Amino acid sequence: MAAQQGQGPVAGLYPISTGSAELVPDGDSRDGWLLKINGVQSSHIVLSDPLRLDFEYMRWIVALIEDRFEPERTERLRALHQGGGGCSIPRYLAARYPDARQVVVELDAKLADYVRGWFDLPRAPLLRIRVGEARQVTESLTPATRDVVVRDVFAGSTTPDPLTTVEFIEASARLLGAGGLFLANIGSAPDHVSARTEAAAIAAVFPHTAIVADPAMLKGRRYGNFVIAASTTPIPASPALRRRLLGGALPAQVWDDGQVRAWIGAAEPRRDGPSPADS
């Protein structure tokens, strides 16, 4: 089954470079679509409403961005998205920041072509999709050219190890201008062992961090996602942000830097090269 540029979405299973992509009508909206990659839910898109985000963690990410960079006062947001999928967050930011300049890094060339044809994405220079591996592309970009870097890369239910190391976080941090924001979507089991390792790498690079998650997730009662934000400048949670997070379908709370570091505890960050267990 093939999708032509500009054809629009058609339900079905599509071969892509890394396996398969499936488009499923969401049943709630006449033009809403769920994108699955190799059987795992990846993105949700409503063609007529780019501001609708059905995945909670995506709503948390854009809430953090808008709290730092108020749309009415931000002339041109510069964003890098490490991981593309259906480009739900880039579509949202393009609607909120009409003059934004965004680059989406997508490993799967065939998926990138499909998404362009399905979801009516803004054209370059507003939104570029660069096919490549997220780390290689990140390390090739010019320093201090982004306001926001969003890491949302998964192979199945986990982020590939090379994108969780101190060295990769350092490469991402170099891209940010003054006051820039790094945001990572982290999938975690209830024990949070791997998540603490990921968070430790981020906290080792950035002096200021914050976490957004629902209370049950933070207490280790279920598997799920949380968002960690990091910057070279403080990340104060405004009253408006706290109200916005509490008002979602899955109410969330914000942890400040002290709470994040206490939660990380003695967890050691992952670094490039073999781990002690491999030696």
Side-chain angles (χ1 to χ4, degrees):
M1 189 176 278
Q4 301 300 319
Q5 187 72 28
Q7 169 184 306
V10 177
L13 190 66
Y14 297 80
I16 58 175
S17 307
T18 55
S20 65
E22 185 178 7
L23 266 185
V24 182
D26 73 0
D28 294 328
S29 308
R30 61 177 179 79
D31 58 351
W33 295 90
L34 178 65
L35 174 64
K36 297 181 179 180
I37 305 298
N38 296 320
V40 178
Q41 292 187 6
S42 168
S43 306
H44 180 269
I45 295 285
V46 177
L47 289 174
S48 61
D49 186 4
L51 297 180
R52 176 174 163 182
L53 297 174
D54 275 22
F55 290 1
E56 289 289 346
Y57 83 85
M58 292 186 180
R59 292 206 283 265
W60 300 340
I61 286 174
V62 299
L64 285 160
I65 293 172
E66 290 183 63
D67 198 57
R68 171 63 65 101
F69 302 100
E70 297 180 46
E72 296 76 14
R73 299 183 181 181
T74 302
E75 183 175 349
R76 178 178 291 178
L77 187 76
R78 304 167 301 168
L80 173 70
H81 303 268
Q82 299 162 334
C87 291
S88 302
I89 293 177
R91 288 181 82 243
Y92 179 100
L93 294 180
R96 290 293 280 139
Y97 304 86
D99 201 31
R101 297 293 187 266
Q102 301 186 76
V103 174
V104 176
V105 184
E106 172 53 58
L107 178 65
D108 194 299
K110 206 161 189 181
L111 177 63
D113 285 340
Y114 281 139
V115 167
R116 274 286 188 200
W118 288 334
F119 298 138
D120 189 29
L121 302 178
R123 292 294 182 180
L126 300 179
L127 176 58
R128 304 176 188 271
I129 298 181
R130 181 165 170 179
V131 175
E133 191 274 326
R135 178 155 183 171
Q136 292 177 351
V137 173
T138 296
E139 292 174 343
S140 74
L141 297 175
T142 304
T145 55
R146 301 295 187 274
D147 302 304
V148 174
V149 173
V150 178
R151 194 206 72 184
D152 189 13
V153 184
F154 283 83
S157 61
T158 60
T159 299
D161 283 354
L163 306 186
T164 66
T165 66
V166 168
E167 291 81 2
F168 174 74
I169 304 303
E170 288 173 337
S172 299
R174 283 194 291 271
L175 299 182
L176 293 170
L181 201 60
F182 176 78
L183 298 143
N185 173 29
I186 296 179
S188 180
D191 60 19
H192 294 324
V193 172
S194 178
R196 284 189 172 94
T197 298
E198 288 193 53
I202 296 170
V205 173
F206 289 97
H208 302 281
T209 63
I211 279 178
V212 174
D214 70 279
M217 178 70 193
L218 292 171
K219 292 176 182 176
R221 293 177 180 169
R222 66 176 183 83
Y223 177 90
N225 296 66
F226 66 85
V227 172
I228 184 166
S231 181
T232 57
T233 60
I235 309 174
S238 70
L241 174 64
R242 294 184 183 276
R243 288 194 300 270
R244 181 173 177 177
L245 295 173
L246 287 172
L250 185 64
Q253 63 187 61
V254 186
W255 277 1
D256 63 22
D257 186 73
Q259 291 171 297
V260 174
R261 293 178 191 274
W263 174 77
I264 292 171
E268 290 291 327
R270 181 177 289 114
R271 294 184 178 272
D272 288 350
S275 66
D278 298 327
S279 57

